[in-house]
Amino acid sequence: MGAVSEQTPRSRRKRMTGKERREQLLDIGRELFAERGFDGTSVEEIAARAGVSKPVVYEHFGGKEGVYAVVVDREMQYLLGMVSDALVADQAKDKLEGAALALLRYVEEHSQGFRILARDSHAASGTGSFASLISDIATQVEHELAAEFRSRGYDPKLAPLYAQSLVGMVALTGQWWLEVRRPKREVVAAHLVNLAWNGLSKLDPKPRLESSARTRGPE
């Protein structure tokens, strides 16, 4: 009776399809970019964690720049989609609450992606920076604000300014909350909306600086 050869774990391992390998490399790339940033990550590390040779990474993405570009683009599109979905409510305050919660939910559930985006996307991504992402979100919000401004008798041309301010406030708070993780997401969102809405509900249509602040020069 012939001896039965034992298969090694490597020989029993299912070979990945091209699509599966690509997704694996993207997952590993996301982890490394979140940990170390673009400059601190190498093709060698991506390949080593995946258990493949460097040429495999080059074959799929052309280098770490290609991995990074896809990771950043996916994260930006995912976040933009979450915020867009939150702006379907009928009432202005509900839209604001939904957008704040969506961004904070993204921070909580996609921490790696947010760390990559908040680190300010590297030029290799070809998709812009964190500032440009915030600007993209603000552009969506400004249309909602413009309609609200018209209904309240405010100048809708100022909607872009207020949209940038509101989205920037939530995004910067999200960066802080990413590290402290308290209070809970819903509590943070409630306080952000409290600040924004109670301020917006009593806007001065034509705000002016006090004369002393306007004329005082640098000390």
Side-chain angles (χ1 to χ4, degrees):
M1 183 174 178
V4 178
S5 62
E6 294 186 3
Q7 289 184 312
T8 64
R10 179 177 294 274
S11 64
R12 289 198 304 267
R13 189 181 304 160
K14 180 184 176 182
R15 183 180 180 84
M16 286 187 177
T17 64
K19 182 178 180 180
E20 290 171 338
R21 179 66 71 191
R22 180 181 173 84
E23 292 302 317
Q24 180 205 31
L25 294 172
L26 287 171
D27 289 341
I28 290 169
R30 184 184 298 106
E31 292 174 4
L32 287 168
F33 293 135
E35 291 172 13
R36 307 179 187 182
F38 178 83
D39 292 328
T41 300
S42 67
V43 171
E44 288 84 355
E45 289 175 296
I46 296 173
R49 285 202 185 184
V52 298
S53 61
K54 289 196 300 181
V56 174
V57 180
Y58 287 112
E59 177 186 348
H60 283 277
F61 298 100
K64 73 171 181 177
E65 292 84 1
V67 180
Y68 187 82
V70 175
V71 168
V72 169
D73 184 66
R74 282 189 176 185
E75 294 300 328
M76 292 179 76
Q77 294 306 316
Y78 192 84
L79 176 53
L80 284 170
M82 290 177 69
V83 174
S84 296
D85 290 344
L87 294 174
V88 298
D90 294 328
Q91 300 301 316
K93 188 176 181 182
D94 291 339
K95 293 178 188 289
L96 185 59
E97 289 180 351
L101 270 173
L103 199 151
L104 291 172
R105 182 161 62 87
Y106 174 80
V107 172
E108 185 173 52
E109 297 176 0
H110 299 265
S111 298
Q112 289 181 343
F114 188 74
R115 286 184 190 280
I116 294 170
L117 296 179
R119 189 176 269 123
D120 209 18
S121 302
H122 193 275
S125 70
T127 53
S129 64
F130 186 55
S132 68
L133 170 63
I134 297 306
S135 182
D136 288 344
I137 296 175
T139 298
Q140 299 182 48
V141 173
E142 79 179 53
H143 297 302
E144 308 295 336
L145 279 181
E148 186 70 15
F149 276 26
R150 289 190 190 94
S151 69
R152 293 172 180 266
Y154 303 138
D155 185 357
K157 293 180 181 178
L158 292 172
L161 186 157
Y162 282 92
Q164 292 284 344
S165 301
L166 285 170
V167 174
M169 177 180 71
V170 178
L172 287 175
T173 302
Q175 286 183 282
W176 163 79
W177 186 68
L178 174 65
E179 304 303 332
V180 298
R181 296 300 180 97
R182 62 177 187 273
K184 291 182 178 181
R185 176 177 69 203
E186 291 77 12
V187 175
V188 176
H191 281 281
L192 285 169
V193 173
N194 180 44
L195 173 61
W197 183 255
N198 288 328
L200 286 172
S201 65
K202 298 178 181 179
L203 280 181
D204 183 339
K206 296 183 178 180
R208 295 287 188 275
L209 295 177
E210 295 295 332
S211 57
S212 59
R214 192 170 60 242
T215 59
R216 187 171 60 240
E219 298 180 357

